Amino acid sequence: MLQPCELSKNPRQMELRPHGTAEFPCGGYDTAVRQEEGGIAWHWHEEAEMLFVTEGMVQVCLPDCHWSLKTGEGAFINANVLHSLQAEGEGGRVRSAVFHIRLISGGSDTVFYRKYVSPLMEYSGIKGLRLSPEEEWQKSMLEEVRRTTALLEEREEGYEWEVRSSLSRFWSILYSNTRPKAAETQRQSIDAQRLRKMLELIWKEYSHPLGLEQIARAANIGQRECLRCFQRTIGVSPLQYLLRYRVSQAAALLRETDLPVAEIGIRCGFDDPSHFAQTFRKYFLLTPSAYRKGRV
């Protein structure tokens, strides 16, 4: 069965709940959005999200727009975009899939990422999109949302292949109907190339000591431009992203392995166990040991 969306976030509104697993980063949810429960509070995550309303009415809120959705309508919310879900009238219910883009891109060095994903994901060109069944191409996207959540609910043998295929079709339709013009993305293209190199360094070397200078050097730019590049694209500093990535990898190991907590800290770049515990608690509001117990 699909689980309800239950938020755990840090003071910067970043959601800390992992979606899926490190090997298959996609989670499916079935959530009631009720006025008395406060809806789904403002938050953001590194993953993209697609949803549709199965009953009642729900308002999807982004910083610069609000969409009132009735049964059968849906929305796409891009990665790293602040958003919330509020009840309209008596409220409603939504089914959603939250997925990391690497599941369909195959990594940042592929044609899929460079040509189709990066122009839409890394920047604010498209923060989100209301999906109406009255628009033929959006109707097709809604069908993929329904298909994806059904696959995540049933989890039959081979469902991972089918989910990946459905997400790819969803993104292909999105790209075909919203892709920006080349002239509008020249600055973004430069940032995309730089960001890709810096993120690849972080993903590969996060378990080792890393500083701002090393991260900037990966893209052959200065430290100030490195800071600006991260702020322009994903809205956090390089070291904030590195810390968040280390903690998220530690959370995955706590859920999926029986490794000692201290060893997990070392594997994720924390030499001091007390520093690891303190940092983990800052993000998850639990110690690593309590987090592991809560996931059993």
Side-chain angles (χ1 to χ4, degrees):
M1 296 293 292
L2 298 178
Q3 299 298 312
C5 179
E6 298 174 347
L7 289 185
S8 173
K9 56 183 182 174
N10 67 12
R12 296 184 59 253
Q13 312 302 319
M14 177 189 286
E15 185 181 9
L16 302 173
R17 174 178 181 166
H19 299 288
T21 66
E23 294 179 335
F24 186 70
C26 181
Y29 306 97
D30 186 349
T31 307
V33 182
R34 306 299 182 193
Q35 195 71 46
E36 61 271 18
E37 298 169 1
I40 307 298
W42 287 97
H43 66 286
W44 62 278
H45 37 66
E46 293 180 337
E47 299 85 358
E49 181 172 355
M50 55 187 193
L51 62 87
F52 71 101
V53 180
T54 59
E55 63 181 64
M57 292 196 67
V58 172
Q59 187 176 86
V60 176
C61 305
L62 275 63
D64 54 359
C65 63
H66 293 180
W67 303 316
S68 294
L69 307 180
K70 62 180 182 292
T71 302
E73 296 180 327
F76 164 72
I77 303 166
N78 214 338
N80 303 302
V81 173
L82 191 67
H83 61 283
S84 70
L85 273 65
Q86 305 298 328
E88 285 216 0
E90 296 182 358
R93 196 170 198 92
V94 299
R95 286 166 71 93
S96 60
V98 183
F99 61 98
H100 199 288
I101 204 64
R102 69 174 181 270
L103 186 58
I104 60 174
S105 70
S108 59
D109 58 348
T110 66
V111 66
F112 305 105
Y113 181 86
R114 178 185 58 80
K115 186 175 180 180
Y116 302 107
V117 172
S118 178
L120 301 185
M121 190 196 74
E122 301 289 0
Y123 310 98
S124 59
I126 174 169
K127 294 181 179 179
L129 181 69
R130 178 177 183 167
L131 302 177
S132 169
E134 296 179 4
E135 287 282 348
E136 198 61 35
W137 62 277
Q138 294 179 14
K139 180 180 179 181
S140 296
M141 293 175 72
L142 283 167
E143 290 172 356
E144 297 302 340
V145 182
R146 293 189 182 91
R147 175 174 169 78
T148 297
T149 53
L151 287 165
L152 290 169
E153 180 178 31
E154 295 162 5
R155 293 178 176 266
E156 295 181 355
E157 181 68 24
Y159 80 96
E160 296 94 343
W161 285 111
E162 297 299 325
V163 166
R164 187 184 186 193
S165 177
S166 188
L167 292 175
S168 297
R169 286 193 296 270
F170 178 93
W171 198 274
S172 177
I173 299 168
L174 175 69
Y175 174 83
S176 296
N177 289 275
T178 63
R179 61 182 181 272
K181 297 178 182 178
E184 298 173 350
T185 59
Q186 185 175 9
R187 171 73 259 175
Q188 291 93 329
S189 179
I190 294 172
D191 279 345
Q193 296 173 25
R194 291 172 171 176
L195 183 69
R196 175 177 58 81
K197 293 176 181 177
M198 293 185 285
L199 291 182
E200 284 179 344
L201 175 69
I202 290 173
W203 297 338
K204 181 180 179 181
E205 302 293 338
Y206 72 92
S207 61
H208 304 294
L210 273 180
L212 180 60
E213 182 180 359
Q214 292 169 278
I215 295 172
R217 193 185 306 133
N220 198 28
I221 57 177
Q223 294 181 41
R224 289 186 179 179
E225 180 59 21
C226 172
L227 288 167
R228 287 193 289 264
C229 181
F230 266 79
Q231 288 296 335
R232 282 193 299 261
T233 54
I234 57 178
V236 298
S237 74
L239 296 184
Q240 287 173 328
Y241 181 90
L242 170 62
L243 193 60
R244 168 68 171 82
Y245 189 77
R246 283 173 167 166
V247 171
S248 67
Q249 294 302 300
L253 290 174
L254 287 167
R255 294 193 314 273
E256 300 167 16
T257 75
D258 295 322
L259 290 170
V261 171
E263 184 176 343
I264 288 175
I266 292 173
R267 289 193 179 197
C268 294
F270 297 95
D271 292 334
D272 181 1
S274 62
H275 180 226
F276 170 49
Q278 181 181 15
T279 304
F280 192 93
R281 185 166 189 170
K282 176 182 176 182
Y283 279 87
F284 284 89
L285 307 180
L286 292 169
T287 65
S289 297
Y291 177 87
R292 169 175 272 172
K293 290 178 181 178
R295 295 285 166 171
V296 174

